[in-house]
Amino acid sequence: MSSVPAATILGFPRMGSNRQLKKAVEAFWASKISESELLDRTKQLRKEHWELQASLGLKQVPVGDFSFYDHMLDHAVLFGIVPERYNVTKPGLECYFAMARGLQAPDRGIDVPSLEMVKWFDTNYHYMVPQIAENQTFALDSTKIIDELREALALGLDARPVVVGPVTFLKLSKTASGAGSTLSYLPQILPLYVELIKQLVAEGAKWVQLDEPVLALDIDAETQEAYRTAYAELAKISGAQYLVATYFAGLEDNLELAASLPIQALHLDLVRNPEQLEGALKAVPESVVLSLGVINGRNIWKADLSKGLELINTAAKARPADKLIINSSCSLLHTPHSLDAETELDAELKNWLAFSTEKIAEIVVLSRALHEGVDAVKAELDANAAAIQSRRTSDRVSNPAVKSRVVSLKESDFSRNNEFSVRQAAQHDKYKLPLFPTTTIGSFPQTSDIRRNRARFRKSEITAEQYQEYLETATRECIEWQDNIGIDVLVHGEFERNDMVEFFGENLSGFAFTRNGWVQSYGSRCVKPPVIYGDVSRTRPITVETAKFAQTCSPKPVKGMLTGPVTILQWSFVRDDQPRSETCKQIALAIRDEVVDLETAGTTIIQVDEPAIREGLPLRKSGWDDYLEWSVDSFRLATAGVVDSTQIHTHMCYSEFNTIFPAIQRMDADVITIENAKSDLKLLHAFEHHGYKAEIGPGLYDIHSPRVPSVQEMKERVRKMLNYLSPQLLWINPDCGLKTRGWEEVRSSLTNLVEVARELRKEY
Ligand SMILES: CN1c2c(nc(N)[nH]c2=O)NC[C@@H]1CNc1ccc(C(=O)N[C@@H](CCC(=O)N[C@@H](CCC(=O)N[C@@H](CCC(=O)O)C(=O)O)C(=O)O)C(=O)O)cc1
Ligand SMILES: N[C@@H](CCS)C(=O)O
Ligand SMILES: [Zn+2]
């Protein structure tokens, strides 16, 4: 067997230290750079990333973790799973990006939508769902991964190709009709995996990483059998050594299955589930290398290396060191590039953090401790212990007033004064909205002009007053436009927000924000999650002045617009020194204060967005009840402090909501606007089936596409909805916020949307 890497990572973030990938790809889309320039720039980026990893001490680097847009999309292309509708595009990058983003080229008669995009497990990363046709023919196109392997080998590095394993790949794909099991395609796709792996081995790969996070989920007998079949087949390839990577959860009941697979190394996520180590040491044959995922790939905290060492020592008592790999818990895709750019973070806080680059250094220290003994890395371990101690004992982490407020919460704090029907009567009386009230989800186009002005304000190139004036003009114009076209419940447009979570993080204590801590969310789009390091409280009203101003721009109601506690939690880097439920309640109290202040200021329709409530659901069912209890309680706590006539809206998008329907009901919002345009009405069936009583706005069109929906097609959609929902409960709105769209599309789409409501009102 070729040598086992002492230390490695499952994958590195793709964007680059300065989001070079985003900039290159977006410049290519805008025809500002050529394809060869894009290829050159991204080749350089991969080189930098591998050399960085090697310079930090990794002996083997992952390859194939790079992607122009998304790694699942790369695999769809790798196996020739390209739906027929993309045949009109040029093969290569045009076809690839058409699958990613859709392509409209009227001069060539092309108008193809993108593939579906969904969340990658419980992360804020989104992948493109491969769509397998009924009569799918598969064909291997392995250029990308082979090229990247060659690039790394040419640099003199030991490189390990990263491939999504066959069972996980199929389980995350869908059939074109949405029916039937994708695992039925295993016999057809396996020979391509065999061929691919043979090529990788022939090119010089000593190890191949097969990512199988599905192996750490609740899986049925068919999936278990698929694992046995697939890996028995792959084991026949001579010279191939497999590192099978499970992450985001523990193996638990799948341990025996995993241990029985004919593989050379098994990776365990010991951050999410350290308890699984003991069982794995017993169940996994001694010939199989254990890869210990001890450094958290989902967070930005410096690891407590003494705890990592404890796990490693436990493993080292049962296995020789050369049968252990020290690793990240999952790919580092979900953490920012490096702390180097964080020149504005205060020194104390910065000393508590580790981004991807610093996490690699931690992995190397742990690996040296294992192989050379702790004395060899005494200075590093001492410095780490001091940082951990500093964070544990720092005054800034704890706020006794916040803690005691949470402790003294009463049951009544979690409930509105009256049930929905009573509130609904009071709200109808107050707002006198027409049947089929129209509204939007909150954001309007975040144009480059808006972002430029914010950047100029941050760099003090314009004053606070100038920036404020700019925002007020944009807000006023937006509200007046909505009013003029006849929307009933208006929004202010969210122009002052860089992001719906980061904006609140910047305005709450216990939060810090970074200058350059970008993480890929989808394609070229990134987010900069705030860091929750301490007890959370609101030190001043956050949105009240904007809401007051907005309300002066029209006599119609303008919705207050807040991000909910679960979404703020989910899209931040959360402290790991207390349960997430505790932090969530603290955020909920801060949002509650804001809700009450908005009400006092006269904004009495208030939307509290919770798009991430489903994303936070634990991957294993055993964790669902507990999560749903505290997450829904947090939403209720945030929203229950208002009188009956104040109308609480919530909004959710881009998740499979049917599984958590009772929890959605328990949130007890007065109005829910929910993404639905791509769904097959299954969701609406759930509303009917569960006897949902409150008002609902299922999205009438998909805001991810620049396409303008016609009146006719949206009306058709409403008619279908009315088979499930009463006209008295139905709101008319898009799927989600409009921040990524251009004004031109927004104007046409919303004008059509209002017309839909007008026509329907004549009929009902
Ligand atoms: C609803 N979604 C969200 C998710 N997560 C969030 N945290 N927020 C969300 O809204 N998850 C699920 C979905 C994912 N969807 C999106 C949609 C759009 C984006 C996006 O557009 N991201 C932007 C970055 C946004 C941002 O913070 N911009 C800053 C500007 C930062 C910047 O680059 N400034 C430049 C200067 C700019 C200029 O001069 O023009 C600089 O400083 O050099 C801001 O507005 O201030 C992106 O471009 O990737 C993300 C997720
Ligand atoms: N209010 C937010 C919700 C996005 S999920 C927006 O409109 O962008
Ligand atoms: Zn949304």
Side-chain angles (χ1 to χ4, degrees):
M1 189 194 272
S2 299
S3 64
V4 175
T8 190
I9 53 170
L10 292 187
F12 193 73
R14 303 159 183 154
M15 279 295 149
S17 53
N18 201 17
R19 288 182 296 158
Q20 293 94 318
L21 177 58
K22 171 190 176 66
K23 289 170 190 169
V25 164
E26 290 182 357
F28 174 69
W29 291 339
S31 304
K32 288 183 184 150
I33 63 169
S34 65
E35 179 165 333
S36 72
E37 171 80 18
L38 174 69
L39 298 180
D40 284 351
R41 285 199 202 177
T42 47
K43 184 174 177 185
Q44 174 62 22
L45 194 58
R46 289 191 291 273
K47 177 170 181 281
E48 278 171 24
H49 290 177
W50 291 324
E51 287 180 341
L52 174 67
Q53 294 167 49
S55 74
L56 290 164
L58 295 189
K59 297 283 180 277
Q60 188 181 75
V61 298
V63 302
D65 51 345
F66 168 83
S67 176
F68 285 114
Y69 199 93
D70 163 53
H71 56 276
M72 281 295 285
L73 176 59
D74 296 348
H75 282 69
V77 171
L78 168 67
F79 297 123
I81 307 170
V82 179
E84 235 171 64
R85 64 178 183 269
Y86 300 103
N87 289 349
V88 294
T89 64
K90 290 187 212 134
L93 277 185
E94 183 178 273
C95 178
Y96 178 84
F97 285 131
M99 289 167 78
R101 325 166 58 220
L103 179 65
Q104 280 189 315
D107 49 329
R108 292 159 60 200
I110 299 178
D111 182 1
V112 281
S114 65
L115 291 179
E116 192 184 337
M117 184 173 84
V118 300
K119 297 267 175 193
W120 178 248
F121 298 88
D122 59 351
T123 76
N124 195 6
Y125 176 82
H126 305 67
Y127 72 93
M128 307 308 301
V129 184
Q131 188 187 314
I132 308 179
E134 207 181 323
N135 54 353
Q136 182 73 50
T137 51
F138 298 86
L140 194 65
D141 172 9
S142 55
T143 336
K144 175 184 177 286
I145 191 154
I146 296 282
D147 286 349
E148 288 172 20
L149 175 61
R150 284 181 185 156
E151 279 170 31
L153 295 176
L155 294 170
L157 300 169
D158 178 8
R160 184 184 70 256
V162 179
V163 181
V164 175
V167 181
T168 292
F169 177 74
L170 287 177
K171 290 293 280 185
L172 298 185
S173 301
K174 64 169 200 181
T175 58
S177 67
S181 165
T182 46
L183 287 178
S184 62
Y185 294 95
L186 188 62
Q188 282 155 275
I189 207 167
L190 258 185
L192 277 75
Y193 270 92
V194 169
E195 182 51 32
L196 171 70
I197 289 161
K198 281 185 181 164
Q199 288 181 17
L200 292 169
V201 170
E203 287 290 336
K206 294 179 196 146
W207 284 87
V208 176
Q209 176 179 320
L210 292 169
D211 279 5
E212 289 285 10
V214 164
L215 188 49
L217 303 185
D218 300 312
I219 52 174
D220 57 15
E222 185 198 15
T223 312
Q224 292 172 7
E225 194 47 38
Y227 272 111
R228 288 189 197 97
T229 310
Y231 283 85
E233 195 58 32
L234 298 183
K236 293 178 188 160
I237 305 170
S238 75
Q241 295 190 102
Y242 302 114
L243 166 61
V244 168
T246 63
Y247 43 84
F248 300 150
L251 281 166
E252 299 183 16
D253 48 338
N254 300 327
L255 173 60
E256 243 178 75
L257 168 63
S260 73
L261 297 178
I263 57 177
Q264 287 66 43
L266 177 66
H267 175 83
L268 307 172
D269 184 338
L270 296 180
V271 172
R272 276 284 167 92
N273 193 326
E275 298 79 25
Q276 65 178 322
L277 178 61
E278 216 175 298
L281 288 168
K282 290 191 190 122
V284 178
E286 284 183 11
S287 58
V288 175
V289 173
L290 280 181
S291 167
L292 310 177
V294 286
I295 296 298
N296 195 344
R298 295 287 301 274
N299 217 327
I300 42 64
W301 301 109
K302 222 168 228 184
D304 182 343
L305 294 183
S306 68
K307 286 200 179 139
L309 267 179
E310 263 175 45
L311 287 167
I312 293 169
N313 287 337
T314 303
K317 279 187 199 135
R319 312 258 157 156
D322 66 358
K323 289 275 191 238
L324 298 173
I325 301 173
I326 310 304
N327 215 327
S328 55
S329 63
C330 57
S331 164
L332 298 179
L333 179 66
H334 314 287
T335 55
H337 184 92
S338 133
L339 272 173
D340 284 351
E342 300 309 325
T343 49
E344 284 159 34
L345 265 181
D346 80 80
E348 186 187 27
L349 185 61
K350 192 171 168 182
N351 190 36
W352 300 345
L353 303 182
F355 290 178
S356 293
T357 306
E358 295 76 26
K359 282 174 187 290
I360 293 176
E362 294 183 336
I363 289 169
V364 171
V365 169
L366 288 176
S367 163
R368 288 187 59 203
L370 172 66
H371 290 272
E372 300 166 31
V374 284
D375 286 347
V377 283
K378 185 171 181 324
E380 289 86 345
L381 293 177
D382 287 350
N384 174 264
I388 299 297
Q389 177 69 2
S390 142
R391 186 174 157 215
R392 202 173 284 147
T393 54
S394 170
D395 284 347
R396 68 201 298 176
V397 170
S398 184
N399 181 340
V402 173
K403 288 223 156 63
S404 74
R405 194 172 169 204
V406 172
V407 169
S408 42
L409 285 170
K410 307 178 295 297
E411 226 175 290
S412 58
D413 294 327
F414 294 85
S415 292
R416 300 281 296 269
N417 293 331
N418 279 297
E419 62 173 38
F420 171 70
S421 58
V422 177
R423 302 188 318 247
Q424 189 188 32
Q427 291 160 19
H428 283 190
D429 201 38
K430 179 167 183 178
Y431 304 112
K432 299 195 169 43
L433 295 172
L435 197 61
F436 303 116
T438 49
T439 193
T440 61
I441 308 305
S443 59
F444 268 72
Q446 274 279 333
T447 58
S448 49
D449 197 48
I450 291 173
R451 294 208 197 275
R452 200 173 319 114
N453 267 280
R454 184 158 41 249
R456 291 182 67 199
F457 164 57
R458 294 225 148 128
K459 288 185 219 146
S460 301
E461 289 170 16
I462 57 172
T463 63
E465 291 72 31
Q466 284 170 314
Y467 179 54
Q468 192 54 30
E469 202 181 308
Y470 174 85
L471 290 177
E472 287 188 359
T473 306
T475 305
R476 178 183 297 284
E477 283 173 6
C478 180
I479 293 176
E480 286 176 354
W481 181 81
Q482 295 169 63
D483 195 347
N484 284 339
I485 67 154
I487 296 185
D488 302 302
V489 175
L490 315 184
V491 297
H492 76 280
E494 303 183 26
F495 301 117
E496 75 289 5
R497 302 180 188 183
N498 43 9
D499 174 77
M500 60 186 282
V501 166
E502 195 182 4
F503 170 78
F504 284 93
E506 286 173 356
N507 286 288
L508 290 169
S509 67
F511 276 77
F513 47 94
T514 65
R515 207 174 72 85
N516 204 39
W518 294 103
V519 177
Q520 186 177 13
S521 180
Y522 69 90
S524 70
R525 299 281 181 174
C526 301
V527 292
K528 202 144 46 70
V531 175
I532 308 179
Y533 65 84
D535 290 332
V536 177
S537 63
R538 191 192 68 142
T539 46
R540 59 183 177 278
I542 303 168
T543 63
V544 176
E545 284 312 309
T546 302
K548 275 200 224 159
F549 170 77
Q551 202 54 82
T552 65
C553 300
S554 167
K556 288 183 183 168
V558 184
K559 276 192 275 192
M561 191 58 61
L562 304 174
T563 304
V566 186
T567 298
I568 293 183
L569 182 88
Q570 196 60 29
W571 291 349
S572 299
F573 288 124
V574 183
R575 58 192 289 192
D576 54 359
D577 56 349
Q578 69 179 22
R580 288 170 78 83
S581 54
E582 182 75 12
T583 307
C584 199
K585 290 226 172 80
Q586 295 180 357
I587 306 171
L589 281 172
I591 298 298
R592 181 186 178 98
D593 292 345
E594 189 71 12
V595 168
V596 170
D597 280 354
L598 281 172
E599 182 186 57
T600 307
T603 294
T604 53
I605 300 187
I606 304 169
Q607 180 172 313
V608 179
D609 290 324
E610 283 293 17
I613 201 160
R614 170 64 176 81
E615 174 193 314
L617 193 68
L619 295 170
R620 292 283 198 155
K621 282 207 174 93
S622 54
W624 283 17
D625 287 351
D626 176 52
Y627 167 78
L628 289 172
E629 186 173 335
W630 64 254
S631 59
V632 173
D633 278 355
S634 296
F635 178 84
R636 291 173 64 110
L637 179 59
T639 52
V642 292
V643 299
D644 288 350
S645 62
T646 293
Q647 190 172 64
I648 297 291
H649 290 221
T650 190
H651 161 74
M652 296 177 192
C653 49
Y654 308 110
S655 286
E656 166 64 65
F657 291 110
N658 298 42
T659 39
I660 62 159
F661 205 87
I664 295 179
Q665 250 167 333
R666 202 168 76 77
M667 287 167 76
D668 199 22
D670 298 308
V671 181
I672 176 170
T673 54
I674 191 158
E675 175 261 333
N676 180 66
K678 280 203 215 128
S679 113
D680 49 2
L681 301 172
K682 224 169 48 193
L683 177 65
L684 300 183
H685 183 68
F687 276 93
E688 186 193 39
H689 177 75
H690 290 273
Y692 193 78
K693 301 251 169 4
E695 302 186 13
I696 315 164
L700 282 196
Y701 76 91
D702 171 25
I703 57 82
H704 272 124
S705 164
R707 231 185 118 251
V708 174
S710 69
V711 175
Q712 202 46 45
E713 73 185 68
M714 286 194 278
K715 224 163 93 182
E716 218 28 65
R717 208 160 265 155
V718 178
R719 278 196 219 290
K720 286 195 184 138
M721 289 170 179
L722 287 169
N723 290 330
Y724 301 91
L725 307 168
S726 139
Q728 274 71 32
L729 297 181
L730 200 65
W731 285 63
I732 299 291
N733 47 261
D735 248 3
C736 183
L738 303 164
K739 62 190 162 203
T740 54
R741 299 271 50 90
W743 263 106
E744 209 175 312
E745 306 137 28
V746 165
R747 282 196 197 98
S748 312
S749 302
L750 292 185
T751 306
N752 287 354
L753 187 104
V754 171
E755 181 56 25
V756 170
R758 285 202 179 115
E759 292 185 13
L760 285 165
R761 281 174 203 148
K762 286 184 203 147
E763 294 175 32
Y764 284 84

